[in-house]
Structure formats: C-alpha cells, structure tokens
Amino acid sequence: MGQVLEGFAVAMGQALLAEGAVVIPGLIEFLNASPTAFHAIDEAKKRLVNAGYEQLLEREDWKLEAGKKYFFTRNYSTIIAFAIGKKYVAGNGFHIIGAHTDSPCLKLKPVSKVTKGGYLEVGVQTYGAGLWHTWFDRDLTVAGRVITREAKNGSGSVSYSHRLVRIKEPIMRIPTLAIHLDRGVNDGFMVNTQNHLLPVLATSIEAELNKEGVEDGSGNRGGQANGKNGNERTTTNSSKHHSLLLQLLATQIGCEPDDICDFELQACDTQPSIIAGATKEFIFSGRLDNLCMSFCSLMALIASSYESSLEDETGVRMVALFDHEEVGSNSAQGAGSPVLINAMSRITSSFDPASKLLEKAIQRSFLVSADMAHALHPNYMDKHEDNHQPKLHGGLVIKHNANQRYATNAVTSFIFGEIARKNMIPIQ
C-alpha cells in the first residue's frame, strides 16, 4: 500500500513545495477565481475536464472502466474526482486526499433588504468562526449562485437554471465608527454582528435617482419586459432585496431582475491574492484555509493520473473537496455526509456488483485530511508550546490530537512521514 500511495503523496508534496513558474501562479489564479465554494468547484471542474476527466451524475448509472478518470459534484459546492488504476479489481483500496472549499464569510440573509438612516444596507449573517473585525473598511462585493427563469422560444413554457455570479467592482463597505464617537475603541473592538456588520450599499437618495434613471419613457422599469407587469411574476424579490442589488446582479448575469428567482450570495473582498513580501516569499490572500489544500490536492491528483502512471496502479486515487467544513461538515455535501462512502461503494460495485467488498476495500485504504496549520506568529509566540511550533519553510505539518479532533495515529503518521522522507519532503 505504501508504494501505491507514494506517487500520489509525492505529487501533492511537490505541488506544495515546488517554486517553479507554474505551481504558485496557478494557486494565485485559483484563489482569485474562487471567491465562493461554488466558484472553486467550477474552477476544479475546468481543470479536471482539461486533464481528461469525465463527469458523472449521481442520479444516473455509472459505467466505469479501469484506467479511466471521473468526477462528480454535489450541490455545485462539493466535488469528488478519482482515477482508477488499470489493475484495479473490486475490493482493492482507495488512496484519498480530503480538503474543503468553504471559508468563514458573511452570507446574505434570505431577506437582505435593510434601510436605516437614509442608507441602503445589506443584511448578512456570519458563516463559520471568522475574525469579523477584519471585514470592516474593506472594498466588498457579492458572489455566489443565482437561480434564474428563462423563457423557451415563445412557447409559453419556462426553464430554470443555476448561474454563477460575481460582481467584480466594489459595491459595498462596512465602515468603522469614527474614533471621535467611540474613544474607547482601542481598549477592545467589540462587534455586534447584528447591528454593526451590515454593508452599506448606497444612500436612499442616490438609489432613488438611479431607479428613476433606468425607467423608460412609458414609466415601466427595465425589468418589466415583454409587456409583463412585475406583479404578474411569481417572485417577490423586490420586497426581500434592494432593487438596486437585483439590478446589479441581473446586469452581470445578462437577465432581467424579475427573472432572478432566488440566490445564495456572500460578501467578498475585492482585493486580489498576490505574491508579496520583500523577497516575494509570502502569499497574501483570504480563503487560504482551505483553498490552498484544495488546489494542491487537485493538482496532485491530475499530476499523478496520466495514463502511464495508472498502468500498474491497483487502487483508486481520489480527491474529495467538501463544502461546509467551517460549520461542522454535517450537511448533505459535507464530509460528515455519505457522499464519500457512497462514491466508494458505487465504484466497488461497478466492478463486481454481486459482491460485498466495500468493507474490505475500506480496510485497504488510506485518507489524508489536508487542511492548513497555524504557523508560529512572531508577535504572539506564547500561543504555541515550545516543542510544537510549526514554522514557515519548515515543511508539511502532521497534526495530532489526543481527543481525536485529528485522526492521526502512530501508524498513519509513520506512513505519511516515511513517504515524505524517502522523497526529501520536509515535515514537522
């Protein structure tokens, strides 16, 4: 099993540590293209398709072949990709890297329309355990997925589609209160997430002027096309969300505001990820937890799944990028769901439908849960024990926890460490 896993693990180590002209710019590109989990999965799909992977659908039968490469998504925010060795038979093991696509953020509420003191604000709720004070005074926008209604060639029938959206310009900001009105702020910045963490979209006056500006000569809004009054639509979005926000989204997607049926959006920082530092050794970016491991895992799978590398492979090489890790992983597309075990079961039964070999396959498998580790902070060195201080340039971190918050034990730590040492990949 160690030799089988080695090619996959080495590819991941090289993806993490290589300083060539491809890996780091690729990571920066991936980060900048992935403001949300939906966008991250879309980027992953593009890379997998370009590498010859075939997309499967969970609701359909799978016809799998040894030596071939596949992937499927769930909720457009979780993806499982795998390459089947040419010598694979049912009951052989799976060699898996797991990571997650989500990060703490501010998600728009189902009713986001807030008007206070002459301002249009956007109601948001916190997702995960974030450093919420860092969201103040940033140039914010929105991104996520939108469900739209589309007419079918004058037939009177309609269809509905899932669309990714991202407004690249900064359209919102959460302004900090001036120090003149809060002299004690430097004694401790306390954030009331319900009252203080609302992005400002526009002033009421300017929004009204903008609304009048888009009306046509008949007095109808641009969103009431084809002679239909907005009241005839089945949606009531204008009562739940600011018309100005809906217009911005519609313009970005290329539809009418009334064609937006629903959405899942989050606030995003427009500042791009960059390579920085005096010697260009740092990556300044949000969402490194855990888009960094998502990218490296994905690239490791792709790099280790070209046809000749699968020639002698007896197992299945797999990457699982899950959503909702930041809130407990217990959703239908989280790591606590059956999505991974379902995939393993379907792969096994595809090669021997009459047998029950999944339990045997699990015992022959190895999974690396790849997430980020907290490096030693020079300004807060007391937050680490003297004997446990992960450092930049120190190599991959193997995490342990006596209370089983991590699954590492002596056997798995040894296997991972031995593969790294054999290939001169530093660990700590």
Side-chain angles (χ1 to χ4, degrees):
M1 186 271 291
Q3 289 181 339
V4 172
L5 180 64
E6 184 171 335
F8 195 8
V10 171
M12 183 178 183
Q14 291 171 342
L16 282 166
L17 301 176
E19 297 178 354
V22 177
V23 175
I24 300 304
L27 172 59
I28 297 296
E29 179 184 350
F30 185 77
L31 289 167
N32 285 327
S34 305
T36 73
F38 302 117
H39 289 81
I41 293 306
D42 190 57
E43 285 297 307
K45 285 173 57 178
K46 292 175 183 176
R47 285 166 169 77
L48 289 166
V49 170
N50 288 339
Y53 281 72
E54 176 185 340
Q55 183 168 5
L56 304 170
L57 298 177
E58 286 190 277
R59 61 177 177 267
E60 295 181 357
D61 293 332
W62 291 1
K63 296 180 180 179
L64 308 180
E65 298 179 32
K68 296 295 182 66
K69 302 174 288 188
Y70 307 91
F71 73 90
F72 69 91
T73 68
R74 180 177 288 190
N75 190 52
Y76 298 94
S77 60
T78 287
I79 191 167
I80 293 182
F82 54 95
I84 305 173
K86 287 192 175 181
K87 294 183 178 179
Y88 171 79
V89 295
N92 285 1
F94 294 77
H95 316 300
I96 310 167
I97 300 176
H100 66 92
T101 58
D102 61 322
S103 300
C105 64
L106 302 176
K107 297 203 173 189
L108 272 64
K109 291 181 176 180
V111 179
S112 70
K113 188 175 185 178
V114 178
T115 304
K116 294 192 302 183
Y119 293 93
L120 305 188
E121 295 186 301
V122 179
V124 295
Q125 54 187 326
T126 58
Y127 172 85
L131 291 171
W132 306 124
H133 68 274
T134 65
W135 286 78
F136 284 76
D137 299 321
R138 288 186 178 269
D139 299 335
L140 302 178
T141 187
V142 294
R145 70 168 170 182
V146 176
I147 307 300
T148 61
R149 177 194 299 103
E150 300 173 359
K152 287 188 175 181
N153 300 326
S155 63
S157 61
V158 297
S159 62
Y160 300 89
S161 64
H162 154 106
R163 305 278 296 277
L164 293 183
V165 64
R166 178 187 190 181
I167 299 174
K168 293 190 176 181
E169 301 80 17
I171 61 171
M172 308 184 302
R173 194 176 181 89
I174 306 173
T176 304
L177 183 64
I179 192 169
H180 312 81
L181 302 177
D182 188 7
R183 291 293 184 182
V185 65
N186 290 320
D187 298 328
F189 183 34
M190 303 299 293
V191 180
N192 182 317
T193 57
Q194 181 68 24
N195 298 329
H196 302 158
L197 209 58
L198 277 74
V200 175
L201 183 67
T203 62
S204 299
I205 293 175
E206 189 65 25
E208 188 62 29
L209 291 174
N210 182 75
K211 178 180 177 181
E212 293 173 0
V214 297
E215 288 181 350
D216 60 27
S218 63
N220 291 325
R221 290 296 308 278
Q224 297 169 3
N226 302 323
K228 291 185 179 181
N229 186 281
N231 293 330
E232 296 175 10
R233 299 287 194 171
T234 59
T235 61
T236 57
N237 277 338
S238 60
S239 66
K240 298 190 297 182
H241 310 286
H242 288 300
S243 297
L244 178 58
L245 177 60
L246 294 172
Q247 183 63 56
L248 290 169
L249 293 170
T251 300
Q252 186 68 37
I253 297 172
C255 70
E256 299 295 339
D258 287 331
D259 289 328
I260 296 175
C261 302
D262 210 340
F263 56 62
E264 292 179 63
L265 299 177
Q266 65 190 58
C268 306
D269 189 0
T270 57
Q271 181 174 333
S273 305
I274 59 171
I275 300 170
T279 59
K280 303 298 182 184
E281 62 181 316
F282 302 127
I283 294 176
F284 294 170
S285 175
R287 307 180 307 285
L288 285 171
D289 178 5
N290 190 27
L291 291 184
C292 181
M293 291 297 96
S294 293
F295 174 81
C296 291
S297 302
L298 187 69
M299 292 299 99
L301 177 63
I302 291 173
S304 67
S305 60
Y306 48 89
E307 187 172 355
S308 60
S309 71
L310 297 176
E311 198 72 39
D312 296 321
E313 174 66 86
T314 59
V316 177
R317 299 176 179 181
M318 178 180 285
V319 160
L321 307 182
F322 298 103
D323 195 5
H324 296 147
E325 188 272 350
E326 299 290 352
V327 291
S329 298
N330 291 322
S331 68
Q333 52 273 3
S337 75
V339 61
L340 179 60
I341 199 72
N342 287 351
M344 297 171 68
S345 177
R346 293 187 70 169
I347 294 168
T348 302
S349 61
S350 291
F351 287 83
D352 192 345
S355 65
K356 296 182 179 179
L357 296 172
L358 179 59
E359 292 83 359
K360 179 180 176 181
I362 290 173
Q363 296 304 316
R364 292 179 168 184
S365 300
F366 193 93
L367 184 147
V368 174
S369 176
D371 208 333
M372 306 297 282
H374 297 293
L376 180 67
H377 194 309
N379 299 339
Y380 299 90
M381 294 183 64
D382 59 315
K383 295 298 182 181
H384 284 82
E385 293 183 3
D386 291 341
N387 293 332
H388 299 91
Q389 297 182 345
K391 295 179 180 178
L392 301 183
H393 303 302
L396 304 179
V397 179
I398 301 178
K399 294 184 178 182
H400 300 257
N401 186 275
N403 295 308
Q404 296 299 295
R405 296 300 296 168
Y406 306 123
T408 308
N409 58 33
V411 174
T412 60
S413 178
F414 168 75
I415 292 173
F416 189 89
E418 189 66 15
I419 293 172
R421 281 186 286 270
K422 285 176 62 178
N423 292 276
M424 294 181 291
I425 299 172
I427 59 171
Q428 53 184 323

